[in-house]
Amino acid sequence: MTSTAPAKTAPAKSTAEKTGTEKTGAHTEEAAALIDDARARIDTLDDRIIGLVQERMAISAVVQEARITSGGRRINLSREMEILGSYRDALGRPGTSLAMTLLELCRGRA
């Protein structure tokens, strides 16, 4: 008589238990170490970028308030076009999408 019970598999390793190559997808420990270091630098950059975006949002709110208080519109489309062009020139087509996202974040609520 043969058993129909499923075969037992080893439990999955937690992230802390995985080796460097398993965590990074690298094929050598040297490459895994390089990837880990680069990822740590990326995480630091991402934290800085988030902080800068938040700072940009706060400054944009000041500009919008001053414009509205003086009788102007909340959004200055010609200025937004300058920003879009600047990002496109520096980063190519994806820069335009990035700029649009930043502008949307910085417009605040109407």
Side-chain angles (χ1 to χ4, degrees):
M1 183 189 239
T2 59
S3 171
T4 58
K8 292 185 179 182
T9 59
K13 292 181 182 179
S14 71
T15 303
E17 295 174 317
K18 290 183 180 180
T19 66
T21 56
E22 289 173 325
K23 286 191 291 186
T24 64
H27 291 266
T28 66
E29 287 299 327
E30 294 82 16
L34 180 83
I35 291 168
D36 278 341
D37 289 345
R39 285 180 176 172
R41 290 174 51 206
I42 287 171
D43 291 345
T44 299
L45 288 169
D46 284 343
D47 289 343
R48 288 172 49 197
I49 291 167
I50 290 167
L52 289 169
V53 169
Q54 291 170 332
E55 183 178 354
R56 189 187 194 289
M57 291 168 66
I59 294 168
S60 182
V62 169
V63 170
Q64 288 175 43
E65 180 65 27
R67 193 180 307 118
I68 292 168
T69 301
S70 71
R73 295 176 169 247
R74 184 172 63 90
I75 296 171
N76 182 335
L77 294 178
S78 64
R79 172 66 176 148
E80 288 194 358
M81 293 306 292
E82 287 176 27
I83 293 165
L84 290 169
S86 175
Y87 274 75
R88 183 191 59 246
D89 292 346
L91 303 172
R93 186 173 171 188
T96 304
S97 297
L98 177 59
M100 285 299 298
T101 299
L102 282 170
L103 290 170
E104 184 179 339
L105 284 167
C106 293
R107 284 181 190 138
R109 294 193 174 130

